[in-house]
Amino acid sequence: MRIFGTDGVRGKAGIDITPILAIKLGIVAGLYFRKHSITNKILVGKDTRKSGYMIENALVSALTSVGYDVIQVGPMPTPAIAFLTEDMRCDAGIMISASHNPYEDNGIKFFNRFGYKIDEKAEAEIEKLFDDQDLIESSYKTGLEIGNSKRIDDVIGRYIVHIKNSFPKNLTLQGIRVVVDTANGAGYKVAPTIFSELGADVVVINNKPNGQNINEQCGAMHPLSLSNEVRRYRADIGFALDGDADRLVVVDNKGNVVDGDKLIGVLGVYQKKIGSLKNNKLVSTVMSNLALEEYLQTNDIELIRTNVGDKYVCDEMQKNGASLGGEQSGHIIFGDYAKTGDGLVSALQVMAALNESGKKSSDLFNAFELYPQKLINLNVEQKIPLESIVGYAEKIQEVSSLGMRHLIRYSGTENKLRILLEGKNKSVLESSIKDLSEFLKNKLS
């Protein structure tokens, strides 16, 4: 049975992600991690969705039933769970979150004891165990072998210290006004604290989660309110996190949203300047603009492309000995400080680059022009293999002959087909993507 998508298990809470599924998944995940157990501890965190209570209790019940001791840390950013899993010497970490999705959704992400998201091989092994009902029913512990659970509320301090240590000791945020949008999500406590302790004048918005307002017209997916507040307070810069704080969107001092590729490019050049860009390599995805690649080349930095998903970026970083990678969507991985995308680490590196440049953010993060690029999301009921669609190959060949770079793929977390076209001629691009999207919409409706 296929359970995992591109970023853990995700779906509608109460429909796709049910207590029964969470219990069963918790049991088989416990059995999988038990094979490599060292401390017999598993860490569990969550974002601020109401359904997190339901899923958390189901997972704790499941893990303790197979003998694991569970540490519950409550609402914390996804990268905090990755960090704390390794820092607290746990066998694994579990994050309950659907990231940037609406509050009705939820999900379950797994980290190994080193703080990395589990790979596809591990996911396949867990899925295999998921189908073994006899194994599940024979795995329950009894008596003193049943695990314990405890909630720890003070680990937030460990994460805050860790994040602050990623910021250069010779720099301060004194005199800098920052607007932070926490998306009513998992970063609502840690983000304001970190910026305040580093000396910034902080304006915080959307930091009152109620279980259903996570990502609701706010945060990284909806930066308009952040843009308005940056202009209103005449701030130097604005940062928007998503629901689990692993993604970052930056708004400059003029209230403009900084393109993710431009952000990654400037950060890459800054990291090289200070001697922190290992092997002069930067990893991004097939979604990244060709202009980013050319900008990095002019600065003697090699761009390595990989599949969409920060876990793939992270894997490629390890293979190539790279210290920086990211996606234009806002997942940026600074390998020296994090094992996954971390919005707060990224924000502090942005502040370091801005601080040392002496420029306004609107100037610093507009270092090159992007080639016209268009992305359309089509809602689909079924994910029919694209190569099986009559006329699809010919359509793609036609697009390529017009000089368009294309990327067409199904979302790993939603029932959507993502169509990306990129080219130097904007008018050709517009007509091409309109034609292609109408073709696919007719074929998939």
Side-chain angles (χ1 to χ4, degrees), residues 322-429:
S323 56
L324 177 61
E327 301 180 275
Q328 62 178 182
S329 61
H331 290 121
I332 304 177
I333 303 170
F334 287 87
D336 290 338
Y337 307 110
K339 304 293 180 69
T340 185
D342 191 319
L344 292 169
V345 167
S346 300
L348 291 189
Q349 294 306 309
V350 167
M351 292 306 306
L354 183 63
N355 193 311
E356 293 202 25
S357 73
K359 298 179 179 180
K360 292 185 180 297
S361 53
S362 55
D363 295 326
L364 178 63
F365 296 108
N366 197 27
F368 60 95
E369 293 300 319
L370 300 170
Y371 290 135
Q373 191 181 78
K374 190 83 171 180
L375 174 65
I376 289 180
N377 293 314
L378 292 181
N379 293 320
V380 296
E381 293 185 7
Q382 291 183 318
K383 297 180 179 180
I384 301 170
L386 296 174
E387 61 274 11
S388 69
I389 297 174
V390 176
Y392 176 75
E394 291 78 7
K395 210 66 174 173
I396 293 303
Q397 187 175 5
E398 178 185 326
V399 167
S400 299
S401 69
L402 294 171
M404 299 288 111
R405 187 176 80 89
H406 66 273
L407 178 65
I408 304 168
R409 65 180 184 90
Y410 288 109
S411 168
T413 59
E414 301 173 273
N415 285 333
K416 292 182 179 180
L417 177 69
R418 307 199 192 282
I419 306 169
L420 172 73
L421 290 188
E422 177 184 294
K424 296 184 179 181
N425 189 310
K426 188 175 182 179
S427 61
V428 174
L429 172 68

Side-chain angles (χ1 to χ4, degrees), residues 36 57 72 104 126 149 216 224 242 349 399 418 421:
H36 316 284
N57 288 329
Q72 297 166 258
E104 296 94 344
I126 291 174
S149 70
E216 185 179 14
L224 179 60
D242 65 344
Q349 294 306 309
V399 167
R418 307 199 192 282
L421 290 188

Side-chain angles (χ1 to χ4, degrees), residues 143-250:
L144 294 178
E145 291 186 332
I146 296 173
N148 301 313
S149 70
K150 61 179 178 180
R151 186 174 295 277
I152 302 179
D153 296 321
D154 60 355
V155 293
I156 189 172
R158 293 193 190 201
Y159 180 61
I160 289 173
V161 170
H162 167 66
I163 295 298
K164 287 169 60 181
N165 284 338
S166 71
F167 191 68
K169 296 290 192 297
N170 62 312
L171 299 180
T172 177
L173 299 184
Q174 202 72 37
I176 298 177
R177 178 169 292 174
V178 181
V179 180
V180 181
D181 183 345
T182 69
N184 294 311
Y188 79 103
K189 288 183 179 179
V190 298
T193 302
I194 289 168
F195 285 105
S196 294
E197 290 187 3
L198 288 173
D201 176 8
V202 187
V203 177
V204 189
I205 61 174
N206 300 310
N207 64 329
K208 294 179 172 56
N210 61 14
Q212 67 181 43
N213 60 0
I214 185 171
N215 299 318
E216 185 179 14
Q217 297 302 310
C218 61
M221 298 304 291
H222 305 281
L224 179 60
S225 60
L226 175 62
S227 296
N228 292 337
E229 294 303 290
V230 167
R231 285 192 290 263
R232 178 187 173 196
Y233 285 98
R234 297 186 177 132
D236 297 290
I237 198 165
F239 295 117
L241 304 173
D242 65 344
D244 65 340
D246 67 349
R247 181 183 302 213
L248 177 73
V249 167
V250 177

